[in-house]
Amino acid sequence: MQVLIVIVVPLLLSALAGPAAAETIYVSNEQDNTVAVIDGATMTLSATIDVGRRPRGLALSADKKILFVAEGDDNRIDVVDLAKRQIVGQLPTGADPEFFVLHPDGKRLFVANENDNLVSVVDIAAAQVIGTVDVGVEPEGMAVSPDGRYVACTSETSSMVHLIDAGSLELVDNLLVDTRPRAAAFSPDGKRLWVSSEIRGTVTVFDTLTRAQTGKVQFEVQGIRREGVQAVGIEMSRNGGTAYVALGPANRVAEVDTGTLAVRRLYLVGQRPWHVALSDDQKHLISANGNSGDISFIDLENDEVLKSLPVGRGPWGVVVGP
């Protein structure tokens, strides 16, 4: 397979490229116990927020005023007021929360409890766990369908993705996927579910209604052995035409055509990108690069990596807010 590899040339691209969107980027640094705050317009670090131990998963509240941060070693989610840039509350989650999603109703969080093989459902206003769902071994990735009907959870050791009815909290189906699934993402229309496999370096695509497998994306990077290409975080474009997949130790982010499942191009970013996030205008993509302690800014209009910015030790999760 031939794909275009885009190489970082920081000084040249910074001179040629325009500024990033006027947004704020939040990145969890799991080794520093902080959240980095980045000015999207200037692509500079503006602040860091002290949070609990081993922060990983992030999500913004419906009104974008609150950042929820999963603290794996503290068994909680911190509630961060973004105007004050400080913790104003805590939510219980069960053991070792790693990743979670906010339901479209804006009232509940669905949290993967890796050590307990559970998904916990947290009522935000009441600050309590209101239900749990038994899933496979080592749950991690979480996704919610746009209509709020289904929640998906990946189980790394079980090599499965589980579909949960968000209303009844009943387990609807268990689907086998490739080894060590990490992330899940629904297409914007809710008709497809994408699941990444870290060990196999693939993404499996399912029909949400029938649960039939409809395709698979294979990733190859010239000069890197197959086992070094590990698919992890997934981000979908708003129009559903493109998926962006972080490829871990391959130090690349793949751009995938969701119609053909072809890899259009690969972006060379920092070391071991975990997760990626799109700007609101869909013109920029940001990758959180765990081993190099930085984030990379990708200009999607010109297919260029603009800049890598140091943000702390062990960047993992990333979200973009106003």
Side-chain angles (χ1 to χ4, degrees):
M1 177 181 65
Q2 293 185 341
V3 294
L4 173 65
I5 298 179
V6 183
I7 301 176
V8 184
V9 188
L11 294 177
L12 176 61
L13 295 181
S14 295
L16 295 177
E23 296 169 318
T24 306
I25 301 157
Y26 301 95
V27 180
S28 57
N29 294 313
E30 64 171 321
Q31 296 174 32
D32 279 345
N33 301 333
T34 61
V35 170
V37 183
I38 297 97
D39 185 314
T42 61
M43 293 183 283
T44 57
L45 180 67
S46 57
T48 56
I49 302 170
D50 291 328
V51 292
R53 295 179 298 166
R54 196 170 175 243
R56 301 190 88 177
L58 302 172
L60 290 166
S61 62
D63 62 7
K64 311 295 186 184
K65 295 180 179 180
I66 295 292
L67 180 69
F68 300 106
V69 186
E71 316 295 0
D73 288 349
D74 286 327
N75 301 329
R76 71 177 194 238
I77 287 177
D78 283 338
V79 180
V80 177
D81 184 307
L82 294 179
K84 297 178 180 179
R85 292 183 176 173
Q86 65 183 36
I87 297 171
V88 294
Q90 296 172 351
L91 301 174
T93 61
D96 194 20
E98 184 162 339
F99 205 80
F100 64 97
V101 287
L102 174 69
H103 190 271
D105 65 13
K107 300 176 181 179
R108 294 175 293 164
L109 300 176
F110 287 77
V111 185
N113 298 126
E114 189 169 26
N115 289 348
D116 284 350
N117 307 331
L118 293 174
V119 169
S120 293
V121 185
V122 180
D123 183 300
I124 297 171
Q128 63 181 9
V129 175
I130 58 173
T132 59
V133 183
D134 291 319
V135 290
V137 180
E138 288 191 287
E140 176 172 335
M142 300 292 300
V144 60
S145 60
D147 62 4
R149 181 179 179 184
Y150 294 117
V151 172
C153 171
T154 66
S155 293
E156 297 176 47
T157 301
S158 300
S159 295
M160 286 184 175
V161 59
H162 313 279
L163 272 182
I164 300 165
D165 185 299
S168 66
L169 303 186
E170 294 180 352
L171 195 60
V172 175
D173 214 337
N174 303 297
L175 306 174
L176 284 172
V177 293
D178 284 345
T179 311
R180 198 172 175 83
R182 278 286 192 173
F186 285 94
S187 59
D189 62 9
K191 294 180 179 180
R192 296 288 184 268
L193 174 63
W194 289 48
V195 182
S196 65
S197 164
E198 184 177 23
I199 299 301
R200 293 289 182 88
T202 61
V203 169
T204 305
V205 184
F206 295 94
D207 183 291
T208 306
L209 182 61
T210 66
R211 263 84 83 178
Q213 181 178 319
T214 61
K216 186 173 291 189
V217 186
Q218 305 277 352
F219 299 98
E220 298 175 8
V221 179
Q222 186 175 2
I224 296 179
R225 298 173 64 181
R226 187 190 62 79
E227 57 267 28
V229 181
Q230 300 177 2
V232 282
I234 305 171
E235 177 84 341
M236 290 278 182
S237 66
R238 188 177 295 119
N239 66 10
T242 304
Y244 300 95
V245 183
L247 298 181
N251 304 336
R252 304 302 199 276
V253 173
E255 180 180 308
V256 181
D257 185 305
T258 60
T260 64
L261 301 187
V263 178
R264 294 189 189 124
R265 56 184 57 83
L266 297 171
Y267 295 98
L268 177 61
V269 293
Q271 297 174 21
R272 196 171 180 68
W274 278 112
H275 289 277
V276 291
L278 280 162
S279 62
D280 188 62
D281 62 11
Q282 308 282 283
K283 294 180 179 180
H284 296 87
L285 185 76
I286 300 94
S287 68
N289 311 315
N291 286 358
S292 52
D294 57 18
I295 61 173
S296 296
F297 294 86
I298 302 170
D299 180 343
L300 298 174
E301 290 187 311
N302 297 302
D303 303 327
E304 298 173 338
V305 180
L306 299 177
K307 178 179 181 177
S308 287
L309 173 71
V311 294
R313 294 185 304 158
W316 195 87
V318 54
V319 296
V320 180

